[in-house]
Amino acid sequence: MWYMNEERELMLNVAKDFVEQEVKPVAMEVDRTSEFPTKLFKRAGELGFLGITVAEEFGGLGKDHTTQSLILEEIAKSLPVLTVAMGAHTLLAGGLLNMLGTPEQKKKYLAPAATGEIILACGSTEPAGGANHIEHTTKAVLEGDQWVINGGKVLVSNIGVADVYVILAVTAEKMDPVTREGMSAFIVPKGTPGLEIGKHEHKLGWHGSATGSISFKNMKLPKENLLGPAGGCMRALFVSATDEFLSCGPVGLGMAEAAYEMAYKYSHERMQRGQSMYDRLQVTRHKLVKMYGEIESLRALVYYTADLRDRGQMPLKLGRMLKIKGAEVSEYVAREAIQLFGGVGTIVDTGVERFWRDAKVLAIGGASVEALMEDISVMMKLNMSKY
Ligand SMILES: Cc1cc2nc3c(=O)[nH]c(=O)nc-3n(C[C@H](O)[C@H](O)[C@H](O)COP(=O)(O)OP(=O)(O)OC[C@H]3O[C@@H](n4cnc5c(N)ncnc54)[C@H](O)[C@@H]3O)c2cc1C
């Protein structure tokens, strides 16, 4: 592949060993029990996978987005939900710490997060809607040298297991609908009085991502827990969210590849009237060809976009496109794979239908594909981003 080099090959081999020896043996169990895979998460931290693009001075590996994509793709082939927990930790919460944090905040929170010593969560979504920040009501008021926060967040990943929450709250009278000024980010350590953690929701997919609500009741934070300028976190969120959307491309790719591999193998093993399903039925072969075509198109877009990012571009449109295509291709391929398995494809223990469930959630979790298309169309109209 044009994007491979010796260093990336080495990192990919580490990821392959990790997946083969530690992730694969427990992947089905994580899906079945919905328990957060703490041991695997910590191990990913030891291997450097929680800080691939974080600077070395803050505990990261200082590597590029292409390397990050290769590792996410590999892990998603076996346990997509681990990449989801990693994304909420490294790209959403970690991204905001990286962009907005003072050197002291980065040393205190980003560095131990990059090595997996602490787990992060990011709370942005409210009942008013994930993309509807204008109507968010969580409010932070400065009283003396403390911020007092009231409100709550829903559908937050890594709750309960997180040591630190990065949350958004309105600090202005009202958020400006045009400039988006008025929203601030805060660092909330677990155990802060007034921070209440809800139950883990039982979801269609992403079993084990520990998703649920958190609320703040007169929660007091010291002044220094404000992350970035008061009222000015939305620009950083735009960038950290772009990196998170970009990461959904390789995650979708890994899931699609896994489902395709299973279906390809099964179509050769399944005998009907003395022939394999693959040899007997043109419809089977053509389904697999279409699945292969979608996978390779997605792969091209994933590594083209990661390369742009590595060359210093901020692919606002293509980053969002990757989340859309990652979700669409993985959902399509997994759905067709279940179809090719026939009845056994619907049985959880076969292990193929979980990729469809996880792909479906990928189309919503973090941002719905429709909201992202809307974003892209606005950027097109404003001629905002080359890529
Ligand atoms: C498993 C899971 C994990 C999550 N983890 C986190 C997390 O860690 N942190 C966090 O802050 N949030 C998280 N979320 C929340 C997620 O970002 C939101 O669910 C998502 O942004 C959609 O928002 P909503 O659920 O409020 O749906 P709504 O905003 O009510 O949207 C419903 C539907 O309306 C349409 N729609 C909404 N807005 C637009 C728009 N602007 N343009 C076009 N169509 C639109 C779409 O079809 C959308 O699916 C998670 C969600 C899930 C499911």
Side-chain angles (χ1 to χ4, degrees):
M1 291 294 181
W2 62 269
Y3 47 84
M4 292 310 287
N5 60 31
E6 208 176 317
E7 202 182 321
R8 289 173 184 160
E9 200 78 59
L10 272 172
M11 287 295 296
L12 181 58
N13 285 338
V14 175
K16 281 186 173 164
D17 284 349
F18 169 57
V19 168
E20 205 49 45
Q21 287 163 27
E22 299 176 63
V23 181
K24 242 188 205 166
V26 297
M28 294 283 283
E29 189 63 4
V30 172
D31 181 59
R32 193 182 64 76
T33 61
S34 285
E35 267 176 38
F36 186 86
T38 308
K39 204 170 149 200
L40 292 179
F41 195 87
K42 296 280 177 187
R43 183 78 183 116
E46 283 169 14
L47 294 170
F49 296 165
L50 301 179
I52 299 164
T53 59
V54 174
E56 285 175 88
E57 65 170 312
F58 296 116
L61 296 181
K63 301 215 180 290
D64 55 21
H65 292 265
T66 300
T67 305
Q68 181 160 267
S69 299
L70 285 165
I71 288 165
L72 291 175
E73 179 191 342
E74 201 55 38
I75 296 174
K77 286 179 192 170
S78 186
L79 186 58
V81 78
L82 182 56
T83 66
V84 169
M86 289 164 72
H89 168 97
T90 306
L91 302 171
L92 288 177
L96 288 175
L97 281 168
N98 201 14
M99 256 175 297
L100 297 171
T102 60
E104 292 71 36
Q105 287 173 329
K106 288 190 193 185
K107 274 196 195 107
K108 190 165 173 188
Y109 300 107
L110 186 62
T115 51
E117 284 158 65
I118 62 168
I119 300 178
L120 305 176
C122 179
S124 164
T125 303
E126 294 195 11
N132 186 18
H133 293 105
I134 296 299
E135 291 189 311
H136 284 189
T137 56
T138 296
K139 191 111 181 126
V141 179
L142 189 60
E143 289 181 3
D145 54 4
Q146 283 187 322
W147 288 97
V148 181
I149 305 185
N150 281 289
K153 301 284 167 182
V154 296
L155 291 165
V156 178
S157 300
N158 299 355
I159 65 160
V161 294
D163 300 286
V164 173
Y165 296 79
V166 173
I167 63 136
L168 303 191
V170 180
T171 45
E173 199 52 49
K174 254 179 95 184
M175 236 185 107
D176 187 312
V178 181
T179 63
R180 303 267 163 147
E181 286 289 309
M183 186 74 87
S184 305
F186 293 90
I187 299 167
V188 184
K190 74 172 180 194
T192 300
L195 168 67
E196 289 177 14
I197 313 285
K199 68 173 171 62
H200 293 177
E201 302 292 354
H202 184 49
K203 309 185 300 294
L204 169 75
W206 292 9
H207 291 175
S209 67
T211 312
S213 302
I214 54 175
S215 58
F216 323 113
K217 301 218 168 81
N218 282 324
M219 182 179 74
K220 295 187 176 70
L221 290 176
K223 231 173 163 180
E224 62 267 20
N225 282 33
L226 173 71
L227 184 58
C233 78
M234 288 308 280
R235 190 180 287 265
L237 184 70
F238 204 59
V239 174
S240 67
T242 300
D243 279 337
E244 206 263 336
F245 301 147
L246 202 144
S247 78
C248 296
V251 169
L253 179 62
M255 288 196 280
E257 286 173 293
Y260 170 84
E261 290 295 335
M262 287 183 78
Y264 183 86
K265 186 165 175 281
Y266 182 77
S267 73
H268 284 78
E269 288 168 359
R270 170 74 165 149
M271 299 301 286
Q272 293 170 337
R273 299 187 199 182
Q275 274 185 302
S276 75
M277 222 172 96
Y278 188 91
D279 287 331
R280 191 169 87 89
L281 300 170
Q282 186 190 49
V283 67
T284 297
R285 297 193 295 275
H286 287 195
K287 266 190 198 297
L288 286 162
V289 169
K290 275 189 76 178
M291 291 153 78
Y292 162 81
E294 290 298 318
I295 288 170
E296 292 312 316
S297 308
L298 176 59
R299 190 192 313 282
L301 188 62
V302 164
Y303 289 100
Y304 169 67
T305 310
D307 186 57
L308 284 174
R309 185 77 178 91
D310 289 337
R311 288 168 194 270
Q313 300 282 346
M314 178 43 75
L316 294 176
K317 287 187 292 202
L318 284 182
R320 281 161 179 74
M321 210 60 227
L322 270 187
K323 161 125 184 162
I324 298 166
K325 295 304 287 181
E328 284 179 355
V329 170
S330 55
E331 197 268 334
Y332 161 73
V333 172
R335 174 163 39 88
E336 290 293 66
I338 296 170
Q339 197 68 21
L340 287 173
F341 268 86
V344 292
T346 68
I347 295 171
V348 174
D349 285 345
T350 303
V352 71
E353 55 77 56
R354 71 189 174 101
F355 290 106
W356 179 82
R357 288 188 279 110
D358 284 349
K360 187 60 234 162
V361 183
L362 189 64
I364 300 168
S368 67
V369 295
E370 292 84 0
L372 292 173
M373 286 200 211
E374 198 55 27
D375 273 3
I376 296 172
S377 71
V378 171
M379 288 175 201
M380 282 171 167
K381 178 134 183 161
L382 299 177
N383 211 5
M384 215 173 125
S385 162
K386 187 168 177 205
Y387 300 106

